[in-house]
Amino acid sequence: MRKQRHSLADAEACPMEVALDYIGGKWKAVILYRIAEGTHRFNALQRALCRITPRTLTQQLRELEADGLLTRTVFAEVPPRVEYALTDPARALIPVLDALKTWSEAFVYPHPPQTADARQSAPQTGPLGQ
């Protein structure tokens, strides 16, 4: 499991850092976004996230569960069936993830990376160029 980098006292100093500690990294936000479509089993998640290794997926799911963003339900069947679903705090994150996806579609995904010269000449009115 990962080290908790922030304490509750840090939340008062910088809530953004604490939030990113929960959903940061390469896979957590993507996992949450996929599970928002409905409960998923491990193999379905792995297929949806084609480049993730089983070990990494297991680790990320455990961290999300430990942080209270996912529930893990084990069904007493043969073979065992395990399903992952979002908790209420994770469901509250979905509009944020939708906004991040929209931002990516508008400014990152369809456009090639800008050179340093192009970034300097672009008008910036706010902290994110808004």
Side-chain angles (χ1 to χ4, degrees):
M1 279 219 170
R2 71 166 159 77
K3 282 185 174 178
Q4 185 71 25
R5 294 184 303 250
H6 300 92
S7 67
L8 291 177
D10 293 332
E12 294 175 15
C14 188
M16 179 64 81
E17 288 183 38
V18 177
L20 289 176
D21 191 33
Y22 278 80
I23 64 165
K26 183 175 180 178
W27 294 108
K28 287 184 180 179
V30 179
I31 290 168
L32 290 172
Y33 199 75
R34 291 291 183 177
I35 295 176
E37 300 165 351
T39 58
H40 276 67
R41 294 173 68 178
F42 184 89
N43 286 336
L45 277 171
Q46 190 173 8
R47 281 190 301 272
L49 309 168
C50 57
R51 295 183 319 245
I52 194 167
T53 64
R55 180 177 183 223
T56 300
L57 180 56
T58 299
Q59 178 184 2
Q60 298 295 284
L61 289 169
R62 285 179 181 163
E63 290 177 13
L64 288 165
E65 183 183 9
D67 288 338
L69 297 176
L70 289 183
T71 59
R72 179 178 184 264
T73 305
V74 180
F75 295 89
E77 299 175 352
V78 177
R81 177 172 52 118
V82 178
E83 291 183 345
Y84 296 91
L86 298 182
T87 61
D88 288 338
R91 277 190 279 284
L93 275 171
I94 297 308
V96 175
L97 298 178
D98 280 332
L100 187 59
K101 178 181 175 257
T102 301
W103 176 83
S104 177
E105 290 169 344
F107 297 105
V108 180
Y109 186 69
H111 305 289
Q114 290 184 344
T115 63
D117 293 336
R119 282 192 299 267
Q120 289 174 353
S121 65
Q124 293 194 5
T125 58
L128 296 176
Q130 298 173 352

Short mmCIF file of all heavy atoms in Angstrom, two decimals, residues 10-49:
data_model
loop_
_atom_site.label_atom_id
_atom_site.label_comp_id
_atom_site.label_asym_id
_atom_site.label_seq_id
_atom_site.Cartn_x
_atom_site.Cartn_y
_atom_site.Cartn_z
N ASP A 10 -3.03 18.73 7.30
CA ASP A 10 -2.60 19.27 6.00
C ASP A 10 -3.79 19.72 5.18
O ASP A 10 -3.65 20.60 4.32
CB ASP A 10 -1.83 18.22 5.20
CG ASP A 10 -0.51 17.85 5.84
OD1 ASP A 10 0.07 18.70 6.54
OD2 ASP A 10 -0.06 16.72 5.62
N ALA A 11 -4.96 19.12 5.39
CA ALA A 11 -6.14 19.47 4.61
C ALA A 11 -6.48 20.94 4.79
O ALA A 11 -6.94 21.59 3.86
CB ALA A 11 -7.32 18.59 4.99
N GLU A 12 -6.25 21.46 5.97
CA GLU A 12 -6.53 22.87 6.20
C GLU A 12 -5.52 23.74 5.45
O GLU A 12 -5.85 24.81 4.97
CB GLU A 12 -6.48 23.17 7.69
CG GLU A 12 -7.59 22.48 8.46
CD GLU A 12 -7.47 22.70 9.96
OE1 GLU A 12 -6.72 23.59 10.38
OE2 GLU A 12 -8.15 21.97 10.69
N ALA A 13 -4.29 23.26 5.33
CA ALA A 13 -3.26 24.03 4.65
C ALA A 13 -3.43 23.97 3.13
O ALA A 13 -3.34 24.97 2.45
CB ALA A 13 -1.87 23.51 5.05
N CYS A 14 -3.68 22.78 2.59
CA CYS A 14 -3.81 22.65 1.14
C CYS A 14 -4.73 21.48 0.80
O CYS A 14 -4.27 20.35 0.59
CB CYS A 14 -2.46 22.47 0.48
SG CYS A 14 -2.60 22.53 -1.32
N PRO A 15 -6.02 21.72 0.72
CA PRO A 15 -6.96 20.65 0.41
C PRO A 15 -6.71 20.02 -0.96
O PRO A 15 -7.01 18.85 -1.18
CB PRO A 15 -8.33 21.30 0.46
CG PRO A 15 -8.14 22.69 0.90
CD PRO A 15 -6.68 22.99 0.98
N MET A 16 -6.15 20.78 -1.89
CA MET A 16 -5.88 20.24 -3.23
C MET A 16 -4.86 19.11 -3.16
O MET A 16 -5.02 18.07 -3.81
CB MET A 16 -5.36 21.35 -4.16
CG MET A 16 -5.04 20.86 -5.55
SD MET A 16 -6.45 20.23 -6.46
CE MET A 16 -7.15 21.75 -7.02
N GLU A 17 -3.82 19.27 -2.36
CA GLU A 17 -2.82 18.21 -2.23
C GLU A 17 -3.42 16.95 -1.64
O GLU A 17 -3.11 15.85 -2.09
CB GLU A 17 -1.65 18.69 -1.36
CG GLU A 17 -0.76 19.70 -2.04
CD GLU A 17 0.42 20.07 -1.18
OE1 GLU A 17 0.97 19.18 -0.49
OE2 GLU A 17 0.79 21.25 -1.19
N VAL A 18 -4.29 17.12 -0.66
CA VAL A 18 -4.92 15.96 -0.03
C VAL A 18 -5.83 15.26 -1.03
O VAL A 18 -5.81 14.03 -1.15
CB VAL A 18 -5.70 16.37 1.24
CG1 VAL A 18 -6.42 15.18 1.84
CG2 VAL A 18 -4.76 17.00 2.25
N ALA A 19 -6.61 16.02 -1.79
CA ALA A 19 -7.50 15.42 -2.80
C ALA A 19 -6.70 14.66 -3.84
O ALA A 19 -7.06 13.53 -4.21
CB ALA A 19 -8.34 16.51 -3.46
N LEU A 20 -5.60 15.24 -4.30
CA LEU A 20 -4.78 14.56 -5.30
C LEU A 20 -4.09 13.33 -4.74
O LEU A 20 -3.77 12.40 -5.47
CB LEU A 20 -3.78 15.53 -5.91
CG LEU A 20 -4.41 16.59 -6.83
CD1 LEU A 20 -3.36 17.57 -7.31
CD2 LEU A 20 -5.14 15.95 -7.99
N ASP A 21 -3.86 13.31 -3.43
CA ASP A 21 -3.30 12.13 -2.79
C ASP A 21 -4.27 10.96 -2.92
O ASP A 21 -3.87 9.82 -3.09
CB ASP A 21 -3.00 12.42 -1.32
CG ASP A 21 -2.16 11.34 -0.67
OD1 ASP A 21 -1.32 10.73 -1.36
OD2 ASP A 21 -2.34 11.11 0.53
N TYR A 22 -5.57 11.25 -2.88
CA TYR A 22 -6.58 10.20 -2.98
C TYR A 22 -6.79 9.72 -4.41
O TYR A 22 -7.01 8.55 -4.65
CB TYR A 22 -7.92 10.70 -2.42
CG TYR A 22 -8.00 10.60 -0.92
CD1 TYR A 22 -7.40 11.55 -0.11
CD2 TYR A 22 -8.66 9.55 -0.30
CE1 TYR A 22 -7.46 11.48 1.26
CE2 TYR A 22 -8.73 9.45 1.07
CZ TYR A 22 -8.12 10.42 1.85
OH TYR A 22 -8.18 10.32 3.20
N ILE A 23 -6.76 10.62 -5.39
CA ILE A 23 -7.10 10.23 -6.76
C ILE A 23 -5.95 10.41 -7.74
O ILE A 23 -6.11 10.20 -8.93
CB ILE A 23 -8.33 10.99 -7.29
CG1 ILE A 23 -8.06 12.49 -7.37
CG2 ILE A 23 -9.55 10.67 -6.46
CD1 ILE A 23 -9.07 13.23 -8.21
N GLY A 24 -4.78 10.82 -7.23
CA GLY A 24 -3.64 11.08 -8.10
C GLY A 24 -3.04 9.80 -8.65
O GLY A 24 -3.39 8.69 -8.27
N GLY A 25 -2.12 9.97 -9.55
CA GLY A 25 -1.46 8.83 -10.17
C GLY A 25 -2.03 8.56 -11.54
O GLY A 25 -2.96 9.21 -12.01
N LYS A 26 -1.48 7.57 -12.19
CA LYS A 26 -1.84 7.28 -13.57
C LYS A 26 -3.22 6.62 -13.70
O LYS A 26 -3.90 6.82 -14.70
CB LYS A 26 -0.77 6.37 -14.17
CG LYS A 26 -0.98 6.04 -15.62
CD LYS A 26 0.19 5.25 -16.17
CE LYS A 26 -0.01 4.93 -17.64
NZ LYS A 26 1.12 4.20 -18.19
N TRP A 27 -3.63 5.83 -12.72
CA TRP A 27 -4.80 4.98 -12.92
C TRP A 27 -6.02 5.28 -12.07
O TRP A 27 -7.13 4.93 -12.45
CB TRP A 27 -4.40 3.52 -12.69
CG TRP A 27 -3.43 3.04 -13.72
CD1 TRP A 27 -2.10 2.78 -13.53
CD2 TRP A 27 -3.69 2.77 -15.09
NE1 TRP A 27 -1.52 2.37 -14.69
CE2 TRP A 27 -2.48 2.35 -15.69
CE3 TRP A 27 -4.82 2.85 -15.89
CZ2 TRP A 27 -2.38 2.00 -17.02
CZ3 TRP A 27 -4.72 2.51 -17.22
CH2 TRP A 27 -3.51 2.09 -17.77
N LYS A 28 -5.87 5.88 -10.90
CA LYS A 28 -7.01 5.98 -9.97
C LYS A 28 -8.21 6.71 -10.56
O LYS A 28 -9.34 6.24 -10.46
CB LYS A 28 -6.57 6.62 -8.66
CG LYS A 28 -5.74 5.70 -7.81
CD LYS A 28 -5.42 6.34 -6.50
CE LYS A 28 -4.60 5.41 -5.66
NZ LYS A 28 -4.24 6.03 -4.38
N ALA A 29 -7.98 7.87 -11.15
CA ALA A 29 -9.10 8.62 -11.71
C ALA A 29 -9.76 7.84 -12.84
O ALA A 29 -10.99 7.83 -12.97
CB ALA A 29 -8.62 9.99 -12.20
N VAL A 30 -8.97 7.14 -13.65
CA VAL A 30 -9.51 6.36 -14.76
C VAL A 30 -10.32 5.18 -14.22
O VAL A 30 -11.41 4.87 -14.74
CB VAL A 30 -8.38 5.88 -15.69
CG1 VAL A 30 -8.93 5.06 -16.83
CG2 VAL A 30 -7.58 7.06 -16.21
N ILE A 31 -9.84 4.54 -13.20
CA ILE A 31 -10.57 3.42 -12.57
C ILE A 31 -11.91 3.92 -12.04
O ILE A 31 -12.96 3.32 -12.29
CB ILE A 31 -9.73 2.77 -11.45
CG1 ILE A 31 -8.54 2.01 -12.05
CG2 ILE A 31 -10.60 1.84 -10.60
CD1 ILE A 31 -7.51 1.57 -11.03
N LEU A 32 -11.89 5.04 -11.32
CA LEU A 32 -13.14 5.59 -10.79
C LEU A 32 -14.10 5.95 -11.92
O LEU A 32 -15.30 5.69 -11.82
CB LEU A 32 -12.84 6.84 -9.94
CG LEU A 32 -12.14 6.58 -8.61
CD1 LEU A 32 -11.73 7.89 -7.97
CD2 LEU A 32 -13.00 5.75 -7.68
N TYR A 33 -13.57 6.52 -12.98
CA TYR A 33 -14.41 6.91 -14.12
C TYR A 33 -15.05 5.68 -14.76
O TYR A 33 -16.22 5.71 -15.14
CB TYR A 33 -13.58 7.70 -15.13
CG TYR A 33 -14.41 8.51 -16.07
CD1 TYR A 33 -15.02 9.69 -15.64
CD2 TYR A 33 -14.60 8.11 -17.38
CE1 TYR A 33 -15.80 10.44 -16.50
CE2 TYR A 33 -15.37 8.87 -18.25
CZ TYR A 33 -15.97 10.03 -17.81
OH TYR A 33 -16.74 10.77 -18.67
N ARG A 34 -14.31 4.60 -14.90
CA ARG A 34 -14.87 3.37 -15.48
C ARG A 34 -15.92 2.75 -14.57
O ARG A 34 -16.97 2.29 -15.03
CB ARG A 34 -13.76 2.33 -15.73
CG ARG A 34 -12.83 2.71 -16.82
CD ARG A 34 -13.53 2.65 -18.14
NE ARG A 34 -12.57 2.96 -19.19
CZ ARG A 34 -12.84 2.94 -20.47
NH1 ARG A 34 -14.04 2.62 -20.87
NH2 ARG A 34 -11.93 3.24 -21.34
N ILE A 35 -15.65 2.73 -13.27
CA ILE A 35 -16.60 2.11 -12.34
C ILE A 35 -17.87 2.97 -12.21
O ILE A 35 -18.93 2.46 -11.87
CB ILE A 35 -15.94 1.83 -10.98
CG1 ILE A 35 -14.84 0.78 -11.15
CG2 ILE A 35 -16.96 1.35 -9.94
CD1 ILE A 35 -14.05 0.47 -9.92
N ALA A 36 -17.78 4.26 -12.56
CA ALA A 36 -18.96 5.12 -12.51
C ALA A 36 -20.02 4.65 -13.50
O ALA A 36 -21.21 4.92 -13.33
CB ALA A 36 -18.57 6.56 -12.82
N GLU A 37 -19.61 3.90 -14.53
CA GLU A 37 -20.54 3.36 -15.51
C GLU A 37 -21.41 2.27 -14.90
O GLU A 37 -22.44 1.91 -15.45
CB GLU A 37 -19.77 2.79 -16.70
CG GLU A 37 -18.93 3.82 -17.42
CD GLU A 37 -17.91 3.20 -18.37
OE1 GLU A 37 -17.74 1.95 -18.36
OE2 GLU A 37 -17.28 3.96 -19.11
N GLY A 38 -20.99 1.70 -13.79
CA GLY A 38 -21.70 0.62 -13.12
C GLY A 38 -20.70 -0.29 -12.43
O GLY A 38 -19.50 -0.16 -12.66
N THR A 39 -21.18 -1.18 -11.59
CA THR A 39 -20.26 -2.08 -10.90
C THR A 39 -19.46 -2.88 -11.92
O THR A 39 -19.96 -3.22 -13.00
CB THR A 39 -21.00 -3.04 -9.94
OG1 THR A 39 -21.93 -3.79 -10.70
CG2 THR A 39 -21.69 -2.29 -8.83
N HIS A 40 -18.21 -3.15 -11.57
CA HIS A 40 -17.31 -3.88 -12.46
C HIS A 40 -16.62 -5.00 -11.68
O HIS A 40 -16.32 -4.85 -10.51
CB HIS A 40 -16.22 -2.95 -13.01
CG HIS A 40 -16.63 -2.18 -14.21
ND1 HIS A 40 -17.59 -1.20 -14.17
CD2 HIS A 40 -16.19 -2.24 -15.48
CE1 HIS A 40 -17.71 -0.68 -15.38
NE2 HIS A 40 -16.89 -1.29 -16.20
N ARG A 41 -16.37 -6.07 -12.38
CA ARG A 41 -15.53 -7.13 -11.85
C ARG A 41 -14.10 -6.85 -12.28
O ARG A 41 -13.84 -6.05 -13.18
CB ARG A 41 -16.02 -8.48 -12.35
CG ARG A 41 -17.41 -8.79 -11.78
CD ARG A 41 -18.01 -10.02 -12.37
NE ARG A 41 -17.28 -11.21 -11.98
CZ ARG A 41 -17.63 -12.43 -12.33
NH1 ARG A 41 -18.70 -12.62 -13.08
NH2 ARG A 41 -16.93 -13.47 -11.96
N PHE A 42 -13.15 -7.51 -11.62
CA PHE A 42 -11.73 -7.27 -11.85
C PHE A 42 -11.37 -7.43 -13.33
O PHE A 42 -10.74 -6.55 -13.91
CB PHE A 42 -10.90 -8.22 -10.99
CG PHE A 42 -9.42 -7.98 -11.08
CD1 PHE A 42 -8.79 -7.09 -10.23
CD2 PHE A 42 -8.66 -8.63 -12.03
CE1 PHE A 42 -7.44 -6.85 -10.32
CE2 PHE A 42 -7.29 -8.40 -12.13
CZ PHE A 42 -6.68 -7.51 -11.27
N ASN A 43 -11.75 -8.55 -13.93
CA ASN A 43 -11.36 -8.79 -15.32
C ASN A 43 -11.98 -7.78 -16.29
O ASN A 43 -11.34 -7.40 -17.27
CB ASN A 43 -11.72 -10.22 -15.75
CG ASN A 43 -10.78 -11.23 -15.14
OD1 ASN A 43 -9.65 -10.91 -14.79
ND2 ASN A 43 -11.26 -12.47 -15.00
N ALA A 44 -13.20 -7.33 -16.01
CA ALA A 44 -13.82 -6.32 -16.86
C ALA A 44 -13.05 -5.01 -16.76
O ALA A 44 -12.85 -4.32 -17.78
CB ALA A 44 -15.27 -6.11 -16.46
N LEU A 45 -12.61 -4.66 -15.56
CA LEU A 45 -11.80 -3.46 -15.41
C LEU A 45 -10.48 -3.59 -16.14
O LEU A 45 -10.03 -2.66 -16.81
CB LEU A 45 -11.53 -3.19 -13.92
CG LEU A 45 -12.61 -2.47 -13.16
CD1 LEU A 45 -12.30 -2.46 -11.67
CD2 LEU A 45 -12.78 -1.06 -13.67
N GLN A 46 -9.85 -4.75 -16.02
CA GLN A 46 -8.56 -4.94 -16.68
C GLN A 46 -8.71 -4.84 -18.21
O GLN A 46 -7.87 -4.26 -18.88
CB GLN A 46 -7.94 -6.26 -16.28
CG GLN A 46 -6.51 -6.37 -16.77
CD GLN A 46 -5.80 -7.59 -16.24
OE1 GLN A 46 -6.42 -8.46 -15.61
NE2 GLN A 46 -4.53 -7.68 -16.50
N ARG A 47 -9.79 -5.37 -18.74
CA ARG A 47 -10.03 -5.25 -20.19
C ARG A 47 -10.27 -3.80 -20.59
O ARG A 47 -9.81 -3.34 -21.63
CB ARG A 47 -11.21 -6.12 -20.61
CG ARG A 47 -10.86 -7.58 -20.76
CD ARG A 47 -11.98 -8.36 -21.42
NE ARG A 47 -13.25 -8.29 -20.70
CZ ARG A 47 -13.62 -9.11 -19.72
NH1 ARG A 47 -12.81 -10.09 -19.33
NH2 ARG A 47 -14.79 -8.98 -19.13
N ALA A 48 -11.00 -3.06 -19.75
CA ALA A 48 -11.30 -1.66 -20.05
C ALA A 48 -10.04 -0.80 -19.98
O ALA A 48 -9.92 0.19 -20.69
CB ALA A 48 -12.35 -1.13 -19.09
N LEU A 49 -9.11 -1.18 -19.12
CA LEU A 49 -7.84 -0.45 -18.95
C LEU A 49 -6.74 -1.32 -19.51
O LEU A 49 -5.92 -1.86 -18.79
CB LEU A 49 -7.59 -0.17 -17.46
CG LEU A 49 -8.74 0.48 -16.70
CD1 LEU A 49 -8.50 0.42 -15.21
CD2 LEU A 49 -8.94 1.90 -17.16
#
